[in-house]
Amino acid sequence: MKILLVLDNLSSSCGANVGIVYELARTWVERGHEVYCLTRKDRFHDIDQQKAGLLHMVWSFDVTEDDILNNVTKSDKWIHLSATGKAIFELTHPVFLQKMIDKKFCESSEIRNEYRKQIEKLFKERSFDAAVAVTEPFYIADALASAKVDTDKYVIMMDPYTNNPSTTDRTRKKKLAREQHVFESARKVFTLDFVGNDMNYLSEELLGKRVNFCVPKVKKCGAGRSDDGATVVDSEKIDFVYVGQLYEDIRNPELMLKIFTRLPDNYILHFYGGGCEQIVDKYKEILGDRLVIHGWVSSDESALAQQNAHILINMNNSIKNMLPSKLIEYINTGKPILNICQIQDCPSIPYIQKYPMAVNIMPMDNDNNIVTAMISDRDLETMAMEVQAFTENYQGKIVEHDVIENIYSDCISENVADMMLEEMQK
């Protein structure tokens, strides 16, 4: 088959969704299929030549909208600027304001329309057996759905859209219409299990196009994992590692940080990533050297940090249809996992319950709407005791990889890639 992937970007910092699809594409190429890619680029997302080298060909186009926005919004000054300061800046910079309005209220219509044009232009020059749009952002799937091309269309959907927590009552009707449009135009829509299971707002006919899959990040033995045995434990220090993005609204770190204020002094928390800077800075003053902030690092540095950790921390979202894909990376390491849940029906629980060395930590009076400030001292003390007991029991141990492969066979990238190929070839 000749498969065209339509991606948000193909940079070295491409994000979890594109990274997952890249691994699927690797399997498709190994199976003898031709995989092509259409993507955008801007000054923050140059094409990763190593990734591009795997594919048969990559076409890219420039996006000025993201350059204009990212030059400002990715700066430390903007991140720490007050809401009033941001409003003043927007009002005094009309081009920036126009781009912000387009992104927030029109879902980046300029980029969506450019994607549609680029898809149609490419199909005039070449033919493909299948075109696969990868979300997020959702406008990529919308662009493929609107493109007038003669091929089977597919979508790989790894984040909720209509049921996204950012959806308001005002925007829900418009989002639902777009999602229905995407489903109607697609032959199949591949959805992560916890996303696809939360789509009861769609008709039975459209749900018939849905194909659920598990997060495909478990690697086969010898493929990106070292099995040199258990971690050597320094009795003077126990390193806990968190890797990922933090968000005040859906992945707030305050519960995790409050728990650490109740843990022994030799428990060291390492943060790799970014977000929630004000909260993290507040607890840096409290925890001092026990909180080490590394910031954003390369994927290789991230992998090394996980390999050297005594305990890995998975900080979950406060919504039921989004899962940090980093959890499956953690599982792949075989290390002990501290799984911090903010809601009772957390989508991580079905994954983590099967893992031999993990513990779920959540407030006892959890009502699916945690307000961290209202958690009682007794509840915090109970959670801290659970963490300490788990750490003392499992620190330095490792789960053999053949055990992981057996438990999580539906999360092995090659198996998921083969399932998708089978669906596309029917």
Side-chain angles (χ1 to χ4, degrees):
M1 290 183 72
K2 291 184 178 180
I3 302 170
L4 174 67
L5 291 174
V6 186
L7 305 179
D8 177 46
N9 70 84
L10 195 64
S11 67
S12 57
S13 57
C14 59
N17 291 3
V18 173
I20 286 171
V21 172
Y22 173 75
E23 293 301 323
L24 299 178
R26 183 194 298 274
T27 298
W28 296 341
V29 171
E30 289 173 354
R31 301 291 189 262
H33 300 279
E34 296 181 15
V35 182
Y36 302 82
C37 175
L38 173 66
T39 187
R40 67 177 177 89
K41 64 177 181 178
D42 56 55
R43 64 184 296 264
F44 290 92
H45 299 95
D46 287 331
I47 302 296
D48 185 319
Q49 295 305 316
Q50 183 176 356
K51 287 185 172 70
L54 168 79
L55 307 177
H56 281 72
M57 189 169 292
V58 176
W59 296 274
S60 63
F61 59 96
D62 293 321
V63 176
T64 58
E65 176 174 316
D66 274 4
D67 274 343
I68 292 171
L69 293 177
N70 289 337
N71 282 340
V72 176
T73 59
K74 288 186 179 292
S75 67
D76 289 337
K77 182 178 180 180
W78 178 267
I79 291 171
H80 293 95
L81 197 61
S82 66
T84 302
K86 290 177 180 178
I88 292 172
F89 182 91
E90 290 170 351
L91 291 173
T92 54
H93 294 77
V95 174
F96 176 83
L97 178 60
Q98 184 267 322
K99 301 296 184 187
M100 284 289 282
I101 291 172
D102 180 55
K103 185 170 186 175
K104 186 172 182 179
F105 297 104
C106 302
E107 299 194 43
S108 300
S109 62
E110 292 181 13
I111 303 179
R112 181 175 67 247
N113 290 335
E114 188 59 35
Y115 261 104
R116 177 186 56 77
K117 293 175 184 177
Q118 293 289 336
I119 293 168
E120 291 176 345
K121 176 184 176 183
L122 196 52
F123 269 83
K124 288 179 180 177
E125 300 169 356
R126 292 175 175 264
S127 63
F128 302 94
D129 300 306
V132 183
V134 180
T135 72
E136 180 83 1
F138 192 79
Y139 61 66
I140 294 177
D142 198 8
L144 178 60
S146 301
K148 296 177 181 178
V149 295
D150 184 21
T151 193
D152 288 332
K153 299 176 181 179
Y154 299 89
V155 176
I156 297 178
M157 188 170 174
M158 288 181 269
D159 292 290
Y161 182 63
T162 300
N163 264 11
N164 194 290
S166 65
T167 301
T168 63
D169 291 340
R170 185 181 61 82
T171 61
R172 184 176 179 83
K173 186 175 180 180
K174 183 183 292 186
K175 282 193 167 188
L176 177 57
R178 282 184 175 150
E179 190 163 352
Q180 288 171 330
H181 172 56
V182 166
F183 266 79
E184 287 165 357
S185 71
R187 187 165 176 264
K188 293 290 182 181
V189 178
F190 300 103
T191 55
L192 278 176
D193 48 4
F194 47 86
V195 175
N197 291 336
D198 194 39
M199 288 182 164
N200 56 7
Y201 50 86
L202 294 177
S203 68
E204 287 297 321
E205 179 183 359
L206 295 182
L207 287 176
K209 297 185 175 187
R210 175 191 57 185
V211 180
N212 280 359
F213 67 99
C214 296
V215 181
K217 280 201 161 188
V218 171
K219 297 182 182 297
K220 289 188 174 180
C221 196
R225 162 172 162 169
S226 173
D227 273 324
D228 295 332
T231 306
V232 177
V233 178
D234 177 359
S235 60
E236 297 299 320
K237 183 177 67 171
I238 300 174
D239 290 315
F240 293 72
V241 168
Y242 171 82
V243 180
Q245 175 76 44
L246 298 170
Y247 306 93
E248 283 193 39
D249 51 349
I250 65 169
R251 199 183 300 162
N252 192 304
E254 190 150 18
L255 174 60
M256 173 172 56
L257 291 164
K258 277 193 171 186
I259 292 172
F260 258 81
T261 64
R262 306 296 181 101
L263 294 175
D265 289 343
N266 65 324
Y267 283 34
I268 312 300
L269 176 56
H270 296 263
F271 267 0
Y272 291 85
C276 295
E277 284 80 6
Q278 292 182 349
I279 295 172
V280 173
D281 289 347
K282 180 179 77 172
Y283 280 89
K284 175 65 176 174
E285 293 183 10
I286 298 170
L287 293 168
D289 292 341
R290 292 183 55 220
L291 175 57
V292 184
I293 304 169
H294 299 269
W296 292 109
V297 298
S298 69
S299 56
D300 288 342
E301 290 174 287
S302 169
L304 182 61
Q306 293 174 51
Q307 182 180 331
N308 291 335
H310 298 118
I311 307 288
L312 295 170
I313 297 178
N314 182 55
M315 184 70 194
N316 286 289
N317 300 322
S318 58
I319 48 179
K320 64 180 182 179
N321 55 8
M322 293 180 73
L323 174 77
S325 63
K326 191 65 67 178
L327 172 61
I328 312 301
E329 285 187 32
Y330 287 176
I331 287 172
N332 197 63
T333 68
K335 294 295 184 75
I337 299 173
L338 176 60
N339 191 48
I340 298 181
C341 301
Q342 303 195 70
I343 55 175
Q344 287 181 339
D345 53 357
C346 179
S348 69
I349 292 175
Y351 285 87
I352 212 70
Q353 280 178 335
K354 300 186 289 184
Y355 192 68
M357 294 196 307
V359 62
N360 293 314
I361 300 295
M362 70 173 73
M364 294 176 63
D365 56 355
N366 185 298
D367 61 357
N368 274 3
N369 188 24
I370 281 186
V371 179
T372 305
M374 297 174 63
I375 296 173
S376 67
D377 285 344
R378 190 172 75 172
D379 212 1
L380 273 174
E381 195 63 37
T382 299
M383 289 186 285
M385 289 173 63
E386 287 184 85
V387 172
Q388 191 167 351
F390 173 76
T391 302
E392 291 172 357
N393 193 24
Y394 289 109
Q395 59 174 317
K397 297 180 180 179
I398 195 165
V399 180
E400 294 299 325
H401 201 272
D402 58 349
V403 175
I404 294 173
E405 282 192 49
N406 184 53
I407 296 173
Y408 295 98
S409 61
D410 54 355
C411 293
I412 293 176
S413 182
E414 291 90 338
N415 295 348
V416 175
D418 288 340
M419 178 275 290
M420 291 183 177
L421 270 177
E422 186 178 338
E423 289 288 341
M424 288 190 279
Q425 292 175 321
K426 284 182 179 178

